[in-house]
Amino acid sequence: MRPFYVTTPIYYVNDKPHIGHAYSTVAADVLARYAKLRGRPTRFLTGTDEHGQKIEQRAKELGKEPQAFVDEMSPPFAQAFRELGCDFDDYIRTTEPRHEAKVQELWKILAEKGDIYLGEYEGWYSVADEAFITETELKALDEVTRSKVQLVKEPSYFFKLSDYTDKLLAFYEQNPTFVQPEGRFNEVKAFVKEGLRDLSVSRTSFTWGIPVPGDDAHVMFVWFDALTNYMSALGGPAKAGEAALYDRFWPSAANGAEVVHIVGKDILRFHAVFWPAFLLAAGLQPPSQVFAHGWLTINGEKMSKRYGNFIPPGPLVEAFGADVVRYYLMREVGFGQDGDFAHKQVFARYHGELGNGLGNLLQRIVASILKNEFGGEVPAPNAIGDEERELVAVAEKAAAAAAQHLDLVGPHRALDAIFELVAAANRYVDRTAPWALAKAGDKERLATVCYHVLESLRWLSVMLAPFLPEKTRALREQLGLPPISPTEALDQWPKAGEFGGLPAGTKTAPGAPLFPRFDPKDEAAILEKLGANKPAEPATKAEKKSKEKKVDEKKPEATEAKAVAPTETKGAAKAEAPSTIVFDDFVKVDLRVGLILEAEAVPKSDKLVRCQIDLGEEKPRQILAGIRLHYAPEALVGKRVIVVANLAPRKMMGLESHGMILAASDTEHGLSVLRLEKDIAPGTRVS
RNA sequence: GGCGAUGUAGCUCAGAUGGCUAGAGCGGGCGUUUCAUACGCGCUAGGUCGCAGGUUCGAUUCCUGCCAUCGCCA
């Protein structure tokens, strides 16, 4: 069987783990567990990306050594993934010697082949993105990011990417599923077709990176470093016989291995263009496939630092259990598309599919009929009829379809197919009415019915194992079956003709419901605890967008208002304001206590003052206010003011403002900023 | 601006090389069962398949234009 090697991106340790990281990793875990179940030699890698200027700076801000900083930041990722039931085979950190050595080796190979040369680079470098950016991009940046863009002119090594335009296009041609989904592949091709420029692959402006071999003044471009993790974790590049894992799992003519990189759509280019180019240059085989999944929004809102709505997986796991979170992530969103993580939907899927569908199926047969009529022992089936044939047909079809979808990296479709069997089994129970058979004393027929339901459950326990490792274990335990132990070269996926593998005489062990129902109170409590109690949610994408648009359209008017600045409103904003508003409307305006940390006059403007205001968020916000004529900037520092925190961002004098300071004015007194009499903590909601 | 894509039931999405009554899940409504986690099962939802033209015996499915949305253009 073809070896299978699946990877997640390595996560940049500047962030803490959130649901986005979890999403990639769970997807990879599902694919790995599936491959293992099918008996394929399988390896699943995840890890952390720990070099780069951003890390260096962050560590410095915290007064730490970079290594100490990343040593602190990396383990929570591994921890979070384990809590989610992710069973990775290796966890690589780019600061490990095993990685650094291999990255340097790859570099040397490219240098020796003449694909790396020393030149000079001049351009805008964004620390936040760890990449040089274009003028266009520069203009589009928000202020926080732009403040970290530098015009850099420095000696730099370049990779001769320009030589690989045609080679990459030819490679894409030969590998028509190299990038998935297809739409993304088209973008990649379009990008390459425009012609590639050489790629700067080293920096001299900071030191937190892997040194360029033979030139200590340079450290490697983080992406060169990071991408190589997929190979270094296997011990490659290496000569045949030097690294067993590499020989086995990195694709070559000899092993026929399949490598799938799961990535977010934002980092597709690095994986679909640069990485294969490096490998082609080194004479190595590129990965088999790069699968770009979409973004998750949270209850309809974009995740971002600004909104502070990154949700860590921990509390979700605590509330729902790892399997339920995994299930939701894999079920709700079409893999490859953007999707929404909506807490309410989690309950809906939990109750509707897992509880009522699957859990109840187990309960209604094992804990009652079987226990009462057969002493909990699996009976041997007797003559079967159309109902049984139909059920078996559905089971076989579901198994085949689910396998096919998983082979093509479509976990949501696989689950869809699998749950066809759940529905069919429930239907089967209704039609055959085992309770009536019991009453009538028809044990023979009853045995057949019970057997078919139990065998269906057994199939489900296998097919759902990649998604619900814990719950399927519990399910099997109740069925009296041992946990599945994946075995290389043994394909354990259920197949046509195999219905009936459950041995008669198996002692079942009825237990607690697999997916106990949350009563509405618990539900509310959980939502409350997770901070997911949104008053009103935007009804549809379209509606939401049009609402946001209205806000934009209103911007010009907003300028007339005293204080300045605009907003990140999500929705709200009625076209015409009624004379009175309900409370719900009021709370749409997010008023917060802000502590002015810095204030300075905006050059070339006689009104604007640029403030950095602490709103209790991770970072202070930049807010512009037209109050210079009334306040000296330095006099504002340390003042507590009222800020509209959910106003859409707006640019003024080339600077972006992320909120608005409230003030009032009249002709007699001039302008007065609203201030607090007491030292209420920054970020406190005003109501 | 260039390139690409999308626009189908309240929601999330399938689908048709053009042709009988356009589908699924969820939600809603109605009914029903009682083995089971107030669970299950059955029925139901009258959606101009974005808008306007064109090709055709016939288009929601092909073509053109328009509108809207989205993605990519280091």
Side-chain angles (χ1 to χ4, degrees):
Chain A
M1 282 190 230
R2 286 183 80 188
F4 180 68
Y5 179 38
V6 60
T7 68
T8 71
I10 45 174
Y11 303 106
Y12 206 45
V13 291
N14 201 28
D15 275 333
K16 291 190 175 132
H18 58 67
I19 196 79
H21 303 125
Y23 183 51
S24 304
T25 312
V26 166
D29 185 60
V30 167
L31 295 177
R33 284 177 183 272
Y34 168 68
K36 284 173 186 169
L37 196 53
R38 306 277 336 226
R40 295 178 71 177
T42 303
R43 195 150 180 93
F44 166 28
L45 173 72
T46 189
T48 46
D49 182 11
E50 309 184 354
H51 285 130
Q53 190 169 14
K54 198 153 57 165
I55 298 291
E56 188 180 83
Q57 283 185 351
R58 186 92 181 105
K60 202 172 167 189
E61 280 166 27
L62 297 168
K64 289 180 179 157
E65 287 303 312
Q67 188 64 51
F69 174 62
V70 298
D71 285 348
E72 252 168 54
M73 296 299 284
S74 178
F77 281 87
Q79 175 69 16
F81 300 149
R82 284 200 195 95
E83 282 171 8
L84 275 159
C86 295
D87 185 22
F88 41 87
D89 298 298
D90 194 359
Y91 183 84
I92 193 160
R93 299 180 49 192
T94 56
T95 52
E96 290 177 76
R98 61 165 174 157
H99 172 72
E100 299 190 347
K102 288 297 170 183
V103 175
Q104 290 185 320
E105 232 174 287
L106 182 64
W107 179 287
K108 281 187 209 155
I109 293 172
L110 298 186
E112 276 162 24
K113 296 215 174 189
D115 276 319
I116 288 179
Y117 64 90
L118 184 61
E120 188 171 66
Y121 194 89
E122 181 174 42
W124 296 98
Y125 186 77
S126 163
V127 178
D129 299 333
E130 292 289 0
F132 281 94
I133 61 171
T134 60
E135 292 281 331
T136 331
E137 282 179 311
L138 180 67
K139 283 174 193 157
L141 290 179
D142 65 76
E143 183 54 29
V144 180
T145 315
R146 195 180 331 157
S147 67
K148 294 189 186 161
V149 171
Q150 306 156 358
L151 184 60
V152 175
K153 186 175 181 180
E154 59 180 45
S156 168
Y157 285 94
F158 283 82
F159 170 70
K160 274 194 187 166
L161 187 61
S162 58
D163 279 0
Y164 289 88
T165 302
D166 294 338
K167 288 169 190 159
L168 280 169
L169 289 173
F171 171 74
Y172 296 153
E173 188 73 28
Q174 288 155 19
N175 297 276
T177 58
F178 176 62
V179 175
Q180 289 290 308
E182 214 179 315
R184 296 280 159 207
F185 202 4
N186 290 337
E187 288 172 8
V188 168
K189 287 177 191 163
F191 172 75
V192 174
K193 271 183 195 150
E194 301 217 335
L196 298 168
R197 296 204 297 266
D198 288 350
L199 182 71
S200 170
V201 286
S202 76
R203 291 288 109 80
T204 54
S205 51
F206 61 94
T207 58
W208 185 239
I210 301 180
V212 166
D215 190 346
D216 283 353
H218 291 256
V219 297
M220 292 180 200
F221 174 46
V222 282
W223 277 104
F224 187 90
D225 169 351
L227 288 163
T228 308
N229 90 86
Y230 302 127
M231 184 171 270
S232 68
L234 297 176
K239 294 196 182 81
E242 276 179 7
L245 287 171
Y246 179 70
D247 287 344
R248 191 169 198 203
F249 288 105
W250 196 264
S252 67
N255 63 19
E258 182 188 6
V259 177
V260 175
H261 294 319
I262 302 293
V263 302
K265 62 183 183 180
D266 55 322
I267 56 173
L268 178 59
R269 172 173 311 151
F270 299 102
H271 288 81
V273 180
F274 300 167
W275 179 227
F278 296 154
L279 292 168
L280 289 172
L284 300 169
Q285 204 163 310
S288 321
Q289 187 170 81
V290 179
F291 198 109
H293 69 241
W295 287 129
L296 292 180
T297 52
I298 303 301
N299 296 316
E301 293 188 3
K302 207 171 147 186
M303 272 195 285
S304 78
K305 280 190 184 158
R306 177 137 323 119
Y307 302 142
N309 62 349
F310 279 111
I311 60 175
L316 291 172
V317 170
E318 206 175 300
F320 297 111
D323 282 10
V324 175
V325 177
R326 291 168 64 97
Y327 177 80
Y328 179 82
L329 289 174
M330 293 297 101
R331 182 74 187 85
E332 177 76 8
V333 183
F335 201 62
Q337 294 175 286
D338 289 346
D340 187 39
F341 189 100
H343 294 82
K344 267 176 70 179
Q345 275 297 103
V346 179
F347 285 109
R349 296 234 178 243
Y350 178 85
H351 285 136
E353 295 164 2
L354 294 174
N356 301 348
L358 177 62
N360 186 47
L361 176 64
L362 173 72
Q363 209 67 12
R364 70 193 298 203
I365 200 83
V366 171
S368 62
I369 307 255
L370 192 75
K371 190 170 152 198
N372 299 335
E373 302 298 321
F374 295 100
E377 206 165 289
V378 177
N382 299 299
I384 65 166
D386 286 347
E387 279 117 349
E388 285 72 31
R389 276 186 281 274
E390 199 184 316
L391 179 65
V392 173
V394 171
E396 292 180 345
K397 196 175 156 201
Q404 199 174 0
H405 288 130
L406 283 168
D407 288 336
L408 295 174
V409 196
H412 62 295
R413 287 178 190 263
L415 282 170
D416 204 31
I418 292 167
F419 271 75
E420 288 290 324
L421 177 55
V422 174
N426 271 316
R427 227 177 295 135
Y428 173 77
V429 173
D430 268 64
R431 279 188 202 156
T432 54
W435 53 92
L437 295 171
K439 204 168 282 177
D442 188 351
K443 281 250 175 175
E444 193 177 322
R445 178 73 186 135
L446 188 58
T448 305
V449 168
C450 285
Y451 185 84
H452 279 78
V453 178
L454 294 165
E455 173 66 353
S456 297
L457 283 164
R458 187 184 70 85
W459 276 43
L460 289 166
S461 79
V462 180
M463 296 193 287
L464 288 170
F467 301 92
L468 306 168
E470 282 308 318
K471 292 293 186 182
T472 49
R473 191 169 306 162
L475 169 58
R476 291 177 67 86
E477 203 178 305
Q478 294 207 27
L479 290 174
L481 296 169
I484 302 169
S485 54
T487 308
E488 238 174 68
L490 177 65
D491 182 359
Q492 301 188 58
W493 193 260
K495 277 173 283 297
E498 290 177 2
F499 198 93
L502 177 64
T506 302
K507 280 295 277 183
T508 63
L514 239 37
F515 303 98
R517 185 157 259 284
F518 291 98
D519 71 40
K521 263 191 214 160
D522 297 339
E523 217 171 293
I526 287 172
L527 287 173
E528 181 68 31
K529 197 173 168 194
L530 294 174
N533 270 338
K534 298 283 167 189
E537 42 194 281
T540 71
K541 268 189 205 164
E543 192 180 329
K544 211 175 78 197
K545 299 230 166 87
S546 78
K547 279 180 175 176
E548 277 171 3
K549 200 147 181 232
K550 277 180 196 157
V551 174
D552 284 352
E553 284 161 3
K554 292 192 86 175
K555 274 182 183 174
E557 300 158 40
T559 324
E560 293 164 21
K562 204 106 303 132
V564 198
T567 192
E568 43 218 71
T569 320
K570 330 238 65 205
K574 294 253 166 64
E576 62 270 8
S579 52
T580 62
I581 60 172
V582 294
F583 181 74
D584 282 356
D585 286 325
F586 167 71
V587 296
K588 286 176 186 166
V589 181
D590 189 16
L591 297 174
R592 302 274 173 175
V593 174
L595 175 61
I596 301 181
L597 301 175
E598 295 171 34
E600 60 179 24
V602 173
K604 287 190 233 166
S605 164
D606 49 11
K607 283 192 193 158
L608 287 181
V609 177
R610 168 180 173 176
C611 305
Q612 299 297 333
I613 300 186
D614 180 1
L615 288 180
E617 298 168 324
E618 202 171 306
K619 289 178 183 165
R621 282 209 212 178
Q622 168 166 288
I623 294 179
L624 300 177
I627 53 177
R628 168 100 177 276
L629 297 174
H630 309 275
Y631 289 90
E634 52 277 14
L636 291 164
V637 175
K639 300 268 195 286
R640 280 162 212 266
V641 297
I642 308 297
V643 170
V644 181
N646 58 348
L647 208 54
R650 177 178 174 76
K651 243 186 233 177
M652 278 169 286
M653 300 295 289
L655 299 172
E656 207 160 286
S657 181
H658 297 279
M660 157 174 156
I661 300 173
L662 294 185
S665 69
D666 62 24
T667 44
E668 190 184 336
H669 304 90
L671 182 145
S672 173
V673 166
L674 268 65
R675 294 183 41 198
L676 264 69
E677 290 179 10
K678 295 182 183 170
D679 287 349
I680 305 290
T684 304
R685 179 131 198 185
V686 178
S687 57

